[in-house]
């Protein structure tokens, strides 16, 4: 950039306002190069970030963060925001342990107004911030930036319904790009498309304003009269939007890649000082043709194993794929099986089911609560619904699991993907709380397979042998098979004739097999809940038990087993190694090592016990 300092030398975001529009456009090109280069190396969300570059630049030119609070829904489109708010020098650490997050974190920067990671939360959060500002006599604005995909989540409408009734300085910016992780579905997506394609009102408005501005004497007074009567004029030219019906002033649609247009709309929204809804059209993957042509494949790029030639094949031979293919295979011979996803068809491996059994495949959008209750409705009508969902997203449907499924012992199957450590996405995505959550719900069974073949076996058991809620939880990535291991749908004891027992389940059982010496017996749990009475009986024979769990310690299987043994009069030693609190971003091996669940970590714990014995 010849006439201004480059991105790395600008004082940001303050100096943005001094740039010309052409300079801003060149700056946007530089930002895109920085994002593409970093994401291709570190992994992360690419398409969504490339689509919001101009919007973010315009936001920071019109508003003054952190006094004005920008709340990014999900936060996976906030990379430009990070680059413009003091994190250019650390951007190379994106999604790395100890580095900056791929989402918004208030602890990371004062410019990150609210923590993010899950969808549809921004409007409610921004409204809370705006209401607090009003109470505090603060005239700054709260701005929620939310994608059209997030509008398939009910919380977005709850936020709109309340914010529209207020007198607060809240602006909701809809980033409309027609893409969430899977293609947007439902009536709202069709509604937005109808708005996006109808520019009659905007075109007429611009022509009328131009004519009146150029008309001497009567032009300006008439223009003011029409502005005062804009609601009636708009009703004639173009029907009212649902957003206006909810109390917002509606501006748009706006070209999300035209900085001048964006700034004009944002300045207008800022002056209104009331709830304003700004509808912005963007292209996901803008400026990077592979991402523009295939935004879904470039939505999130892994840090390793990225297939540049065919990004659609980046997830292969993993637990998700095995789950999806097995479910489709079962459905080949059973017309009652249905599959449900919450906008994660490819992420959960259900593309195979969708291709073979499209009439029984349901993508409900980002609506996990609806997915559970919808599944319960299917089940009550003789179907076997299987809802495949990431562990951290299942948390949203806790009430529905209790009230709409478990109470009436309704049989639904949960495929809990990304269970355990998730790595680079950090604390909002770690799958560590599904077990403590499900253990509080009656009429619930949980399986945790450690191999692909066990996963297939457990899925079949969950579909056909269980009643009520049947959950099969499995990790992200590929299996690690221990030589000589036998699959089981219940438990498996490796007996070395010891008085010391080590217990685990899921993928970390392989670490335990390798860590345990010949003086330690190993018990692998597969159906982890309800805990088999035979498992309790086995445990009663040991004076020392060491439980390793890739889940939250509080409310986990280890604590539940310990309580059961205590009731039976167990007097021995019981040590639980599990996860406490929230786990920040780091790669899988680092997480395992930090919490004592790696092979090396388990060995240290078991050897420490032996050393203590020798010392005494």
């Amino acid at each position: 950039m010849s006439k201004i300092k480059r991105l790395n030398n600008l004082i940001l975001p303050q100096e943005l306002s001094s740039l010309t529009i052409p300079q801003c456009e060149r700056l946007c090109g530089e930002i895109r190069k920085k994002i593409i280069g970093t994401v291709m190396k570190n992994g992360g969300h690419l398409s969504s970030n490339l689509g919001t570059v101009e919007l973010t630049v315009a936001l920071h030119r019109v508003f003054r963060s952190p006094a004005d609070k920008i709340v990014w829904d999900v936060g996976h489109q906030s990379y430009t925001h990070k680059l413009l708010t003091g994190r250019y020098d650390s951007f190379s650490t994106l999604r790395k342990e100890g580095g900056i997050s791929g989402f918004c974190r208030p602890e990371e920067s004062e410019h990150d107004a609210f923590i993010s990671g899950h969808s549809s939360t921004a409007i409610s959060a921004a409204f809370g911030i705006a209401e607090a500002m009003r109470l505090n006599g603060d005239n700054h604005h709260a701005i929620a930036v939310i994608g059209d995909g997030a509008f398939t989540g009910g919380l977005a409408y709850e936020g709109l319904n309340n914010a529209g009734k207020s007198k607060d300085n809240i602006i909701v910016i809809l980033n409309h790009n027609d893409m969430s992780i899977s293609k947007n579905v439902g009536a709202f997506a069709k509604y937005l498309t109808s708005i996006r394609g109808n520019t009659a009102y905007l075109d007429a408005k611009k022509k009328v304003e131009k004519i009146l501005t150029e008309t001497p004497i009567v032009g300006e007074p008439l223009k003011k009269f029409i502005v005062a009567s804009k609601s009636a004029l708009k009703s004639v030219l173009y029907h009212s939007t649902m957003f206006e019906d909810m109390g917002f002033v509606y501006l748009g649609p706006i070209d999300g890649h035209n900085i001048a247009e964006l700034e004009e709309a944002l300045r207008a929204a800022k002056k209104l000082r009331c709830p304003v809804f700004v509808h912005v059209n963007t292209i996901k993957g803008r400026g990077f043709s592979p991402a523009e042509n295939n935004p879904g494949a470039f939505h999130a790029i892994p840090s390793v194993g990225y297939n540049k030639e065919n990004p659609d094949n980046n997830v292969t031979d993993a637990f998700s794929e095995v789950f999806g293919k097995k479910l489709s295979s079962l459905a080949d011979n059973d017309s009652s099986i249905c599959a449900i996803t919450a906008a994660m068809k490819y992420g959960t491996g259900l593309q195979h089911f969708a291709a073979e059994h499209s009439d029984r495949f349901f993508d409900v959008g980002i609506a996990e609560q609806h997915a559970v209750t919808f599944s319960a409705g299917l089940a009550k009508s003789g179907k076997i619904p299987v809802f495949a969902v990431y562990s951290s997203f299942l948390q949203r449907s806790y009430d529905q699991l209790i009230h709409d499924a478990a109470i009436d012992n309704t049989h639904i199957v949960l495929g809990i993907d990304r269970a355990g450590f998730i790595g680079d996405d950090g604390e909002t995505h770690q799958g560590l709380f599904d077990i403590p959550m499900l253990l509080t719900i009656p009429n619930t069974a949980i399986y945790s397979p450690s191999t692909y073949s066990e996963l297939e076996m457990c899925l079949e058991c969950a579909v056909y042998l269980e009643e009520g809620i049947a959950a099969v939880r499995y990790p992200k990535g590929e299996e690690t098979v221990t030589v000589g291991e036998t699959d089981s749908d219940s438990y498996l004891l490796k007996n070395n004739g010891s008085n010391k027992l080590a217990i685990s389940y899921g993928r970390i059982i392989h670490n335990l097999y390798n860590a345990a010496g010949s003086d330690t017996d190993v018990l692998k749990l597969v159906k982890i809940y309800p805990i088999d009475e035979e498992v309790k009986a086995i445990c009663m024979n040991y004076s020392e038990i060491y439980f390793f769990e890739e889940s939250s310690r509080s409310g986990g299987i280890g604590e539940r087993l310990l309580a059961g043994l205590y009731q039976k009069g167990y007097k021995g030693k019981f040590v639980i190694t599990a996860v406490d609190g929230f786990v920040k971003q780091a790669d899988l091996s680092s997480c395992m090592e930090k919490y004592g669940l790696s092979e090396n970590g388990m060995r240290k714990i078991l050897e420490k016990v032996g050393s203590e014995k020798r010392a005494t």
Side-chain angles (χ1 to χ4, degrees):
M1 215 171 283
S2 57
K3 295 185 179 180
I4 63 166
K5 291 180 286 187
R6 294 181 65 82
L7 176 62
N8 59 322
N9 292 322
L10 283 168
I11 300 173
L12 296 169
Q14 296 92 322
E15 286 191 0
L16 278 176
S17 58
S18 66
L19 306 183
T20 65
I21 295 298
Q23 287 174 330
C24 286
E25 291 170 348
R26 294 177 66 184
L27 182 69
C28 289
E30 188 179 345
I31 289 170
R32 282 193 168 88
K33 288 181 181 178
K34 183 69 174 178
I35 290 173
I36 292 169
T38 303
V39 172
M40 286 299 188
K41 181 178 180 181
N42 292 20
H45 293 88
L46 185 60
S47 298
S48 52
N49 281 288
L50 295 179
T52 55
V53 176
E54 287 85 2
L55 172 60
T56 309
V57 169
L59 271 171
H60 280 289
R61 278 165 61 84
V62 173
F63 296 95
R64 294 293 175 262
S65 177
D68 292 309
K69 307 295 183 184
I70 305 172
V71 181
W72 299 88
D73 201 88
V74 184
H76 65 314
Q77 78 284 55
S78 64
Y79 292 2
T80 300
H81 166 76
K82 289 175 183 281
L83 287 169
L84 297 179
T85 53
R87 285 166 275 187
Y88 177 90
D89 290 338
S90 58
F91 198 68
S92 61
T93 69
L94 181 74
R95 293 167 50 86
K96 297 296 183 183
E97 185 172 4
I100 63 173
S101 172
F103 302 93
C104 293
R105 297 290 182 269
E107 66 177 26
E108 184 179 294
S109 171
E110 64 179 348
H111 295 279
D112 290 1
F114 199 82
I115 193 167
S116 64
H118 287 194
S119 164
S120 314
T121 64
I123 299 173
S124 295
F127 177 44
I129 292 170
E131 192 73 3
M133 284 178 170
R134 182 188 63 80
L135 293 172
N136 293 336
D138 185 343
N139 289 323
H140 286 94
H141 287 74
I143 305 104
V145 185
I146 180 169
D148 50 317
F151 265 97
T152 58
L155 181 57
Y157 296 93
E158 295 176 32
L160 278 178
N161 183 53
N162 283 274
K165 300 173 185 175
S166 75
K167 304 296 183 182
D168 294 338
N169 294 339
I170 180 171
I171 299 170
V172 175
I173 298 175
L174 169 63
N175 174 30
H176 184 187
N177 57 35
D178 287 330
M179 274 293 300
S180 58
I181 297 174
S182 293
K183 186 173 177 60
N184 290 336
V185 296
F188 184 74
K190 294 178 182 178
Y191 175 73
L192 287 182
T193 300
S194 71
I195 295 178
R196 187 173 192 161
N198 192 330
T199 59
Y201 167 69
L202 293 175
D203 291 342
K205 178 176 177 289
K206 289 178 181 178
K207 289 178 182 178
V208 169
E209 286 183 350
K210 185 176 186 295
I211 292 170
L212 291 176
T213 301
E214 296 173 352
T215 302
I217 305 176
V218 299
E220 191 61 31
L222 187 56
K223 180 179 176 182
K224 290 180 179 178
F225 170 77
I226 290 177
V227 169
S229 308
K230 68 182 181 67
S231 294
L233 176 65
K234 192 166 186 176
S235 294
V236 172
L237 294 173
Y238 182 50
H239 65 81
S240 174
T241 69
M242 62 171 282
F243 311 111
E244 290 172 310
D245 293 339
M246 298 180 83
F248 287 82
V249 174
Y250 174 84
L251 302 177
I254 309 298
D255 181 354
H257 301 295
N258 185 313
I259 295 177
E261 269 192 43
L262 284 166
E263 290 187 17
E264 181 183 1
L266 292 176
R267 288 195 180 97
K270 186 177 181 179
K271 288 179 181 179
L272 286 168
R273 296 201 168 277
C274 66
V276 181
F277 193 97
V278 182
H279 184 173
V280 175
N281 289 333
T282 63
I283 298 172
K284 203 167 187 180
R286 174 80 169 194
F288 183 53
S289 57
E292 284 191 39
N293 295 332
N294 195 351
F298 286 87
H299 173 79
I301 293 177
S303 56
V304 294
Y306 175 61
N307 185 341
K308 293 182 180 179
E309 285 71 32
N310 189 357
D312 282 324
N313 290 334
N314 283 326
V315 180
T316 57
D317 195 28
F319 280 96
S320 303
E321 289 286 290
V322 172
F323 174 88
K325 290 177 179 177
K326 177 62 176 179
L327 183 62
S328 184
S329 175
L330 291 175
D332 288 342
N333 301 308
D334 188 340
S335 61
S336 68
I337 294 177
C338 300
I340 301 94
T341 181
M344 300 295 292
K345 177 173 70 174
Y346 292 99
T348 57
L350 289 185
Q351 71 271 23
H352 309 292
F353 191 104
E356 298 296 326
H357 310 286
S358 59
D359 59 324
R360 289 181 274 149
F361 170 76
F362 304 95
D363 187 341
V364 300
I366 305 174
E368 292 84 2
Q369 294 165 286
H370 165 67
V372 169
T373 303
F374 173 68
S375 295
L378 286 171
K380 280 299 180 183
S381 300
K383 302 301 180 183
I384 304 176
V386 181
F387 175 33
V389 58
Y390 288 8
S391 170
S392 63
F393 300 158
L394 180 65
Q395 296 162 186
R396 302 182 137 201
S397 59
Y398 183 60
D399 176 67
Q400 287 69 32
L401 289 169
I402 294 174
H403 185 273
D404 301 333
I407 283 180
D408 205 26
N409 202 30
T410 303
H411 181 47
I412 66 172
V413 178
L414 303 175
I416 306 179
D417 205 323
R418 295 342 191 236
F421 294 124
I422 200 66
D424 299 338
D425 281 337
E427 56 266 53
T428 54
H429 284 63
Q430 306 285 7
L432 301 171
F433 300 105
D434 56 282
I435 286 176
M437 181 178 77
L438 291 174
L439 291 191
T440 65
I441 303 176
N443 301 326
T444 299
I446 310 172
Y447 292 83
S448 186
S450 60
T451 64
Y452 293 160
S453 55
E454 264 184 2
L455 171 58
E456 293 176 330
M457 184 189 311
C458 290
L459 177 57
E460 200 160 350
C461 290
V463 168
Y464 292 118
L465 299 184
E466 299 292 343
E467 298 180 349
I469 299 170
V472 182
R473 68 187 307 267
Y474 42 94
K476 177 182 180 180
E478 301 177 354
E479 69 177 356
T480 304
V481 179
T482 298
V483 177
E485 183 182 352
T486 302
D487 292 331
S488 170
D489 62 1
S490 181
Y491 68 86
L492 183 67
L493 177 64
K494 182 180 178 182
N495 193 332
N496 292 320
S498 173
N499 67 345
K500 182 171 66 176
L501 179 66
I503 310 174
S504 191
Y505 59 86
R507 65 179 165 190
I508 64 171
I509 190 67
H510 308 297
N511 295 340
L512 184 56
Y513 280 142
N514 294 328
S518 58
D519 62 338
T520 303
D521 292 358
V522 177
L523 179 62
K524 176 177 75 170
L525 304 182
V526 180
K527 184 177 181 180
I528 60 177
Y529 189 78
I531 299 173
D532 197 314
E533 288 300 318
E534 292 183 12
V535 168
K536 296 177 185 177
I538 290 170
C539 291
M540 292 296 291
N541 297 321
Y542 292 86
S543 60
E544 300 175 23
I545 299 175
Y546 300 88
F547 199 102
F548 297 92
E549 186 165 14
E550 191 186 347
S551 177
S552 173
R553 178 196 309 272
S554 179
I557 297 294
E559 286 190 351
R560 187 61 64 97
L561 176 58
L562 175 59
L565 295 180
Y566 179 79
Q567 291 175 343
K568 289 180 174 293
Y570 182 72
K571 303 295 183 182
K573 184 176 183 179
F574 196 104
V575 177
I576 299 174
T577 301
V579 181
D580 293 307
F582 297 103
V583 178
K584 294 185 179 296
Q585 65 195 46
D587 61 36
L588 177 60
S589 60
S590 180
C591 291
M592 291 289 188
E593 192 67 35
K594 181 178 180 180
Y595 289 93
L597 299 175
S598 65
E599 178 183 333
N600 181 58
M602 292 176 172
R603 184 178 292 111
K604 285 181 179 178
I605 291 170
L606 295 174
E607 287 180 351
K608 181 180 178 182
V609 174
S611 300
E612 289 174 349
K613 279 189 168 184
R614 288 191 292 273
T616 56

